[in-house]
Amino acid sequence: GGFCVDSREAYHGVTERYERTMALMQVGDGNASYALDVFRVAGGRDHLLSFHALPGPVAATGLNLQPQATGSYDGPDIPFATSKRGPRMGYSWLDHVERDSAPPPAFVLDYRGMPPYWNLTEQDNLHVRYHCFTRYSDVALADGYPPKGGGSGQPKVLRYLLAHSAGGDNLHTTNVALIEPYKGQPLIAKARRLPIENQPPGLEAVALEVVLADGATDYLLSGPDDDTVFEVEGGLRFSGRLAALRVREGRVERAWLCRAARVGWDGFEMALPAATYRGTVARMDRELKTHACLWTTTPLPTDGTLVGSEIIVANDRKLNACYTIAGVERDGDLYKVDCGEVCFVRGFVDDRDYSKGYTYNFEEGAEWAIPQHARLSRQPSGALQVSMTGPLEVAWPDSR
């Protein structure tokens, strides 16, 4: 599964883009998986990404970390736990700092979980690896301390990754990583970021090649928009927010599209008409009730393929306007979208005079989008399994 979350208001008046795209990739029989993490930020002049995993030792590969003898993450002259307000508030609450002032574009951290967290034992040999594929201004590891009172299994200290990007006004950072939990032996044998021939300025498209320990290779692809077709090293092509291929012995085994229209490699092509269905709200339920529908002129499939998909309605972004579709049907010249057990009413125009009517989470005329998705896999028997939200075109030369 995969998702993209847009929260551009996180730093109001500063961030014009603040989006995180993640995908969980199952490995083997599905009892194990790893995650793709692409976090795009545009705005401001200083970005800091923090990450931590299991409490315990952290092994770094690819970094040249130098211990900082004194102080805190806020600086060698700033003592630990020195409270201060401003954009660096909290930095002094991280200590035992190690820094790499010129980090490479790729490195790996391996967290090994240690007791008593979650009743772990050393014999569990539980790890989380963080594979980073981002060029940062500097990188540090530092200790952070959870609040007390969380019970006997609460860790006393967590080792944080602090990945820092600095630049002029309107800084753009595309943070790219794989997060790999494993027990005993890693799932990933090796991974690298692939060059993209038509890489846009600003927020970047992402292509990763992930060689798995079981012999398969995953190609993970993410664009910063819905429509641009990107050309990747090795003949890969894709457009959209999230696409993936799993290849084994030189043959495509599985393929995914999520708010994406196209992916192709070595004669294999998989394409939807567009990354999203789009339209405007022609009518909407305006009553105060617990089930709501909206209507649109955009032709939509009524065979159930959109059930469970999300419809995202444009609004003032004060409240979320993303609804899970429970059904679609024709209603005269319109298409009726059942949004399930929700209500579009946000409040009253006047809390002291209900007769003035309601305010709504969006209004008629608002634009909406339904992200399209498709999944294609070949079984050992040669049979194909297909799931899609629209007409899917497939060229699969080596399928039977």
Side-chain angles (χ1 to χ4, degrees):
F3 65 83
C4 180
V5 176
D6 175 2
S7 186
R8 69 192 74 166
E9 296 84 8
Y11 296 89
H12 186 70
V14 176
T15 49
E16 61 186 66
R17 295 278 295 272
Y18 196 79
E19 297 176 357
R20 196 163 200 165
T21 299
M22 297 194 76
L24 193 65
M25 300 295 295
Q26 291 186 338
V27 178
D29 60 8
N31 291 326
S33 59
Y34 69 93
L36 167 71
D37 183 10
V38 181
F39 196 167
R40 295 181 174 93
V41 182
R45 60 175 61 190
D46 195 270
H47 298 165
L48 182 66
L49 176 78
S50 69
F51 174 86
H52 73 78
L54 301 166
V58 182
T61 303
L63 291 175
N64 181 21
L65 294 167
Q66 300 298 317
Q68 179 181 294
T70 60
S72 63
Y73 182 67
D74 206 8
D77 56 339
I78 306 295
F80 175 74
T82 304
S83 298
K84 58 189 298 187
R85 296 195 176 275
R88 297 175 65 85
M89 183 174 63
Y91 283 20
S92 71
W93 293 85
L94 298 157
D95 65 358
H96 298 116
V97 181
E98 297 177 281
R99 293 180 187 267
D100 187 334
S101 299
F107 59 87
V108 179
L109 301 179
D110 192 321
Y111 289 76
R112 182 177 180 183
M114 297 297 286
Y117 183 64
W118 276 5
N119 298 317
L120 284 176
T121 68
E122 291 194 33
Q123 288 71 34
D124 288 327
N125 200 11
L126 183 64
H127 295 247
V128 174
R129 285 202 298 183
Y130 185 86
H131 306 251
C132 179
F133 303 96
T134 311
R135 172 73 78 176
Y136 289 109
S137 303
D138 57 87
V139 166
L141 298 183
D143 286 348
Y145 303 89
K148 296 180 180 179
S152 60
Q154 176 177 291
K156 295 181 179 179
V157 62
L158 294 168
R159 193 72 170 156
Y160 279 77
L161 163 69
L162 300 152
H164 177 228
S165 299
D169 293 334
N170 199 26
L171 178 64
H172 289 60
T173 304
T174 302
N175 304 278
V176 183
L178 298 173
I179 302 170
E180 176 201 6
Y182 70 92
K183 195 171 184 178
Q185 296 299 317
L187 308 175
I188 296 172
K190 60 181 179 179
R192 66 185 181 113
R193 188 168 176 181
L194 300 176
I196 293 177
E197 295 176 6
N198 55 327
Q199 185 68 270
L203 295 178
E204 300 169 352
V206 173
L208 296 181
E209 179 185 68
V210 184
V211 180
L212 301 177
D214 70 3
T217 298
D218 288 346
Y219 294 99
L220 310 180
L221 311 161
S222 175
D225 59 58
D226 290 356
D227 303 316
T228 305
V229 178
F230 294 102
E231 302 288 337
V232 186
E233 178 187 277
L236 282 159
R237 298 166 302 284
F238 78 97
S239 68
R241 301 303 181 91
L242 182 61
L245 292 174
R246 177 159 291 171
V247 176
R248 193 182 301 271
E249 297 178 354
R251 303 169 67 191
V252 174
E253 185 177 88
R254 298 180 185 179
W256 298 265
L257 296 173
C258 184
R259 193 163 180 169
R262 179 176 304 275
V263 64
W265 174 79
D266 194 27
F268 174 88
E269 293 284 344
M270 177 178 174
L272 289 163
T276 56
Y277 292 101
R278 292 186 177 274
T280 57
V281 177
R283 284 170 42 202
M284 57 188 282
D285 277 329
R286 305 186 72 85
E287 297 81 15
L288 187 62
K289 58 182 187 178
T290 59
H291 202 101
C293 299
L294 61 82
W295 287 258
T296 183
T297 59
T298 301
L300 294 172
T302 58
D303 58 359
T305 57
L306 290 182
V307 173
S309 296
E310 306 296 321
I311 182 166
I312 305 165
V313 185
N315 69 350
D316 58 9
R317 300 181 63 85
K318 291 182 179 179
L319 289 178
N320 181 47
C322 179
Y323 306 98
T324 301
I325 296 173
V328 179
E329 61 183 67
R330 286 293 299 268
D331 188 359
D333 294 334
L334 300 177
Y335 289 78
K336 178 182 176 181
V337 181
D338 183 347
C339 296
E341 295 182 358
V342 297
C343 183
F344 301 144
V345 173
R346 181 184 288 178
F348 294 98
V349 173
D350 187 339
D351 290 340
R352 298 182 178 181
D353 185 356
Y354 294 168
S355 67
K356 292 182 180 180
Y358 305 120
T359 60
Y360 297 90
N361 204 23
F362 59 90
E363 276 293 349
E364 291 169 356
E367 296 181 346
W368 56 260
I370 301 173
Q372 293 219 52
H373 57 84
R375 182 172 66 250
L376 186 63
S377 63
R378 179 179 54 204
Q379 302 305 300
S381 65
L384 302 183
Q385 287 189 338
V386 184
S387 172
M388 69 273 195
T389 54
L392 185 67
E393 295 182 2
V394 178
W396 203 339
D398 59 356
S399 65
R400 300 193 300 271

